Amino acid sequence: MMRSSVSNCPVPTDQQPLNEYEELKTSWLFRDCTLNWREYLTNIAWIWGLSWLVSGPVAAASFPPQKYAAHFVLCGAAGASLGVIFVLLRMYLGWRYVRDRLYSTAVFYEESGWYDGQTWIKPQEVLARDRLIVTYEIKPILQRLQFTFAGLAGMYLIGTIVWHLF
């Protein structure tokens, strides 16, 4: 974990927004967003493929592959995409939470439990540093996730059109 550059910061180390950002950036799920596009899409494809383990049998029960091959594939693909959507939503909410904590002028923290919450106002230099991190590090990650959501929505639209053609 990074140490705060502010020596008199009363916020516990694990609740400081900069440290929350560093922890999120290195955690196994959230770091996928920081990879290059090829690796990122490969990981998304793996999640989609693993989601087929659940959606495939459900689709096969609804549309026997021998009789309704196109409907089986479309239904299974749509079901598998739900797994991707849930993972992407979790990543988006995690990154957005850290973005909000970094961007905020005040940091809410708990000293020892839920009953003793405090608020610390960031000094100007800490606020400027945190907002630079939001602008140059977190904003592109959130845009990538939004772009991925838009791509999935487009695929659902195409799947719906193809569904009605069969």
Side-chain angles (χ1 to χ4, degrees):
M1 276 194 196
M2 293 184 71
R3 295 274 178 199
S4 174
S5 62
V6 180
S7 59
N8 62 351
C9 177
V11 181
T13 305
D14 62 331
Q15 294 180 45
Q16 292 176 13
L18 182 62
N19 292 335
E20 291 173 327
Y21 162 70
E22 290 295 331
E23 185 178 327
L24 198 66
K25 192 168 72 168
T26 59
S27 69
W28 71 272
L29 177 64
F30 295 93
R31 74 170 169 245
D32 286 356
C33 298
T34 64
L35 300 173
N36 66 47
W37 270 101
R38 185 173 183 260
E39 292 171 325
Y40 169 73
L41 292 175
T42 300
N43 288 345
I44 297 296
W46 271 104
I47 294 167
W48 184 75
L50 290 172
S51 297
W52 261 95
L53 295 174
V54 174
S55 68
V58 172
S62 302
F63 301 100
Q66 311 87 324
K67 193 173 179 183
Y68 303 104
H71 287 101
F72 163 73
V73 169
L74 289 170
C75 184
S81 295
L82 288 176
V84 173
I85 289 170
F86 291 143
V87 169
L88 290 172
L89 186 61
R90 176 65 188 108
M91 286 192 281
Y92 184 82
L93 292 174
W95 282 109
R96 183 154 175 180
Y97 170 78
V98 169
R99 181 206 62 187
D100 292 346
R101 298 258 302 163
L102 283 166
Y103 200 80
S104 177
T105 57
V107 176
F108 180 79
Y109 66 97
E110 297 169 350
E111 290 181 7
S112 61
W114 61 268
Y115 50 85
D116 64 350
Q118 303 289 329
T119 302
W120 176 63
I121 305 299
K122 294 179 187 177
Q124 194 59 40
E125 67 274 4
V126 172
L127 182 60
R129 178 203 63 200
D130 289 356
R131 289 188 172 176
L132 282 171
I133 292 170
V134 167
T135 302
Y136 293 104
E137 298 289 329
I138 297 178
K139 197 173 182 183
I141 290 170
L142 291 173
Q143 288 172 336
R144 173 182 278 193
L145 288 167
Q146 291 167 346
F147 183 77
T148 308
F149 280 123
L152 283 170
M155 292 173 121
Y156 268 107
L157 180 63
I158 291 169
T160 302
I161 292 168
V162 171
W163 180 278
H164 289 291
L165 294 176
F166 286 104

